[in-house]
Amino acid sequence: MSCDSGPDGRLVWWMTAFKGVPEPEWKRIGSQPSCIYSEDPAAFEERLRDAVLTAFQEAPIAAGSMVLQPSPHTLVGAHTNVYVEASGQVFEMNLLGQEIRIAVEPTEYTFDYGDGSVYGPAAVPGGPLPESRWGEQTATSHVYGQTGDFPVMVTTFFSGEYSVNGGPLIPIDGRAEVTSPAQVLSVWRTESRNVADNCLVNPTGIGC
């Protein structure tokens, strides 16, 4: 292999080890070296790592798509199912003269139900229920104890990896978080009454 796409090309091996471990065991990432264009790749890599983390956290990562069941109304005392659909994304850019590819994946979620209750961070994004099962408890459902309008939001946490000039994917030491736009959920209560007539017989009756 050769690094001839620019000046000061150097072949480097990428290594990984656990942080905070005395005498960590370093392991190679990938099966072959890749290029860094710098006179001092070791010192340059630290600058590049910081630049990648900043670019990762500032990237226009699409928020997860949040769904409420039922919506836009639900009932006091019933389970309202909330789930989010988020997907991996890829960003390509030039940083400090290097071609960088950043791949992100959703890993955790925090559910803010708008009434002061929060669930997460959790690895569970939740999932849909058929309409016939609305009101059942799920891992991410919530029961409201009072009526009102509540802004519901989900924050998705993304982990990332990056490659330099087509090299192996390297874990990014940090996370990015993206909050979905709030959806206002109206919580209602129900009342039951006994009636003797239908609305055709008594048009002024309850519920007519």
Side-chain angles (χ1 to χ4, degrees):
M1 294 182 61
S2 62
C3 299
D4 52 9
S5 296
D8 300 321
R10 303 286 193 276
L11 280 172
V12 299
W13 285 100
W14 297 91
M15 312 287 287
T16 183
F18 287 109
K19 292 178 63 176
V21 176
E23 300 181 3
E25 180 183 356
W26 290 88
K27 296 181 179 180
R28 281 183 178 177
I29 303 175
S31 59
Q32 61 185 19
S34 61
C35 295
I36 278 187
Y37 294 92
S38 171
E39 293 183 355
D40 187 351
F44 179 78
E45 191 276 334
E46 185 173 349
R47 290 175 51 212
L48 181 61
R49 187 171 63 242
D50 292 340
V52 166
L53 177 59
T54 299
F56 165 53
Q57 294 178 332
E58 294 178 351
I61 301 174
S65 177
M66 182 181 62
V67 180
L68 311 178
Q69 295 179 313
S71 175
H73 311 113
T74 191
L75 295 176
V76 167
H79 281 276
T80 300
N81 187 38
V82 183
Y83 68 95
V84 62
E85 296 175 334
S87 58
Q89 297 155 63
V90 175
F91 303 92
E92 297 184 354
M93 62 196 72
N94 186 288
L95 288 177
L96 304 180
Q98 319 296 314
E99 295 300 320
I100 305 298
R101 180 183 179 91
I102 296 178
V104 306
E105 289 289 338
T107 52
E108 287 189 314
Y109 312 85
T110 293
F111 295 79
D112 185 336
Y113 300 106
D115 63 347
S117 299
V118 176
Y119 172 65
V124 181
L129 286 175
E131 188 171 352
S132 61
R133 294 176 54 193
W134 285 4
E136 291 185 11
Q137 182 177 5
T138 68
T140 56
S141 65
H142 181 61
V143 175
Y144 289 89
Q146 59 184 13
T147 60
D149 295 332
F150 301 97
V152 184
M153 297 180 291
V154 176
T155 298
T156 303
F157 296 88
F158 290 85
S159 296
E161 297 177 307
Y162 71 102
S163 67
V164 182
N165 299 318
L169 285 171
I170 306 159
I172 298 176
D173 185 17
R175 297 196 300 178
E177 56 183 87
V178 185
T179 301
S180 60
Q183 293 186 35
V184 176
L185 183 67
S186 295
V187 180
W188 294 356
R189 68 174 182 269
T190 60
E191 294 182 355
S192 298
R193 301 285 182 88
N194 293 323
V195 296
D197 304 316
N198 61 33
C199 291
L200 292 178
V201 176
N202 182 10
T204 62
I206 295 173
C208 296

